[in-house]
Amino acid sequence: MECQKIINFGNQLLRRKNVDCTREDSRLSRCLNTFDLVALGVGSTLGAGVYVLAGAVARENAGPAIVISFLIAALASVLAGLCYGEFGARVPKTGSAYLYSYVTVGELWAFITGWNLILSYVIGTSSVARAWSATFDEIIGQHIEEFCKKYMTMDAPGVLAKYPDIFAVVIIVILTGLLIFGVKESALVNKVFTCINILVLGFVMVSGFVKGSVKNWQLTEQDIYNTSHSIYGDNQTQEEKLYGVGGFMPYGWKGVLSGAATCFYAFVGFDCIATTGEEVKNPQKAIPIGIVASLLICFVAYFGVSAALTLMMPYHQLDTNSPLPNAFKYVGWDGANYAVAVGSLCALSTSLLGSMFPMPRIIYAMAEDGLLFKFLAKVNEKRKTPIIATVTSGAVAAVMAFFFDLKDLVDLMSIGTLLAYSLVAACVLVLRYQPEQPNLAYQMARTTEDTDNNESVSTSESQAGFLPEEEEKCSLKAILCPPNSDPSKFSGSVVNVSTFIIGFLIVGSCILTALEPSILIKAVWIIAAILVLVVSFVIWKQPESKTKLSFKVPLLPLLPVVSIFVNVYLMMQLDLGTWIRFAVWMLIGFVIYFTYGIWHSVEATYATSADAERNTDAGSDSCK
């Protein structure tokens, strides 16, 4: 009896959401097109980092070879983008990685994913709002900071910010009002700012290629020595060592790869497109195209700006805080700094909107599924926007931006995003090899009229989907040479177990590397890599689902496995303090889930109604 209770509880945690993708109805407004999604993805991804990141990575990590770092980072991001694209085509509903996890690996994993995405978006919104405020304040001469420090200082170092950022709160309130007003209006504002940002970046690229010189990609050690001697005096030997050996790749491949790890975060943000499933026309095509196109545009922008920057000015002289104004001053174009200032504000505006846009939609999706409080799923009937979720998320972000500096919390964004990327990749791997099965719970939850009208059809479909399959015996031959061309329950189970093994090997190897990066770990890596290849080969031998989709991830199972590895490896590089804060956030989430979500889940209602229907049928049969 106790064992049965434990099994039932486990089934509750792993129950999966069944989505009827044939239904077009939505409580939200379907008004976005593919161009809106591309602009949303580019605006969210191509934030102010493009104006700062290139200088820091070029000077300290990669030199002119930063263009290769961005290429590697873009390829790694595209792996995750392709996985999101397939799920966008397969499950065109609101919820992004939360929904994709719910459909594939179960309710508990879905809640963990959604809960961490909420944290990522809240911190992202608050930190970008403070950055917008600081950038604007710097442009006008730091009058806001001086006033706040004089009259509103908060004396709690390490806990609160130096002063409350009222301007950041005002920005969040304005954008929250815009999001409540309507998704179409929000998309229009986003397109305007994104276009301005792209024009400014285009100007930067053209300027770099006009005023730049290839000689800055061909610096010798003597050039670095002479420059260092003129700037740093007798410390030139130390500076020469610090800035590499010159040439296109002064820090070698190690520096290029180190820079790529940093540049990877510059491509985070495209996943906001996946939250628009119920607000876009023809989502099966628009979402994959929007994700891939936005990543391609962002790569061209990052590649062009970093190339222009390192052509205009020697990489070791770049300013890490404001490289573009410094570079324009170096070539004698001081007036271009006004364009850079406008572009950076527009980039921050679109990045802020990109953080705020998906946050209420994740909350709305979780509340509608019953995992968060139901009142959060309320939709404004006139504007067709999730009004309570939008106001709540905006209020939380505003409070955090008002009181906290958020520098210590920014790494928590990375955990939430990378965890979502990893789970989506694993879900693509699992779902592609599963047999198609109709959903009894949804069939039984239909109205009596539908059941009566389609009684014969539903019965035949149910019988066809649930006729007992011929039992497949577990053997090496059955695993490596499946007898069927279509996925079966057995082949699906093989893929499930194989994916779990791959995940375990990757996570274990990355943890060991983070804890003890020694020669012994290299042997562990080699063994783990061989085992991952073997298990991936087993997955490759299984029959794939024949379901027709508008977009599918190519080269399965290789691309999802590589994507999982990249994301997990980057997660394990984060410091212990970040993981402790992550554990605290998860503890709060588990309290909500186990006291509310698990008991109010909509899937639990469907399962209960299905069980009651079965018991009724069994009782009527016994009476006969």
Side-chain angles (χ1 to χ4, degrees), residues 247-440:
F248 179 72
M249 206 178 288
Y251 300 97
W253 276 105
K254 184 178 180 181
V256 171
L257 294 175
S258 172
T262 304
C263 292
F264 178 84
Y265 294 107
F267 291 92
V268 168
F270 67 85
D271 51 310
C272 68
I273 294 175
T275 63
T276 63
E278 293 182 35
E279 295 167 287
V280 62
K281 304 165 188 172
N282 196 6
Q284 284 93 339
K285 288 186 179 180
I287 290 176
I289 292 172
I291 289 173
V292 175
S294 61
L295 283 174
L296 180 61
I297 292 169
C298 290
F299 164 67
V300 171
Y302 281 124
F303 186 95
V305 169
S306 57
L309 197 57
T310 50
L311 284 171
M312 278 197 288
M313 190 174 184
Y315 72 90
H316 61 284
Q317 292 180 250
L318 289 170
D319 190 298
T320 55
N321 294 319
S322 53
L324 284 175
N326 194 257
F328 278 117
K329 186 177 180 181
Y330 183 83
V331 297
W333 280 19
D334 291 38
N337 290 339
Y338 294 106
V340 172
V342 171
S344 60
L345 283 179
C346 288
L348 282 166
S349 300
T350 57
S351 183
L352 182 57
L353 195 59
S355 293
M356 292 187 69
F357 185 88
M359 180 166 44
R361 280 146 185 83
I362 297 290
I363 295 172
Y364 161 78
M366 294 180 72
E368 194 167 48
D369 289 335
L371 302 189
L372 289 180
F373 307 110
K374 202 70 179 176
F375 72 90
L376 293 169
K378 183 179 178 182
V379 173
N380 185 303
E381 294 300 326
K382 185 179 179 182
R383 295 293 175 185
K384 301 287 185 183
T385 53
I387 182 168
I388 302 297
T390 304
V391 171
T392 303
S393 56
V396 172
V399 169
M400 291 191 70
F402 187 75
F403 287 110
F404 301 104
D405 197 9
L406 300 169
K407 286 181 181 177
D408 294 332
L409 297 178
V410 169
D411 281 343
L412 274 178
M413 290 171 56
S414 303
I415 288 187
T417 304
L418 294 171
L419 178 64
Y421 286 3
S422 304
L423 274 174
V424 170
C427 290
V428 166
L429 199 56
V430 168
L431 206 56
R432 185 77 75 84
Y433 295 93
Q434 298 305 311
E436 296 296 325
Q437 289 186 349
N439 179 0
L440 267 185

Side-chain angles (χ1 to χ4, degrees), residues 128-130 132-133 136 165-176 349 352 356:
V128 174
R130 287 191 73 96
W132 204 108
S133 174
F136 181 77
D165 199 332
I166 300 173
F167 199 68
V169 174
V170 171
I171 298 162
I172 291 174
V173 170
I174 291 171
L175 287 184
T176 300
S349 300
L352 182 57
M356 292 187 69

Side-chain angles (χ1 to χ4, degrees), residues 440-452:
L440 267 185
Y442 271 82
Q443 286 182 352
M444 292 180 178
R446 288 175 183 166
T447 61
T448 311
E449 291 180 9
D450 290 341
T451 307
D452 291 340

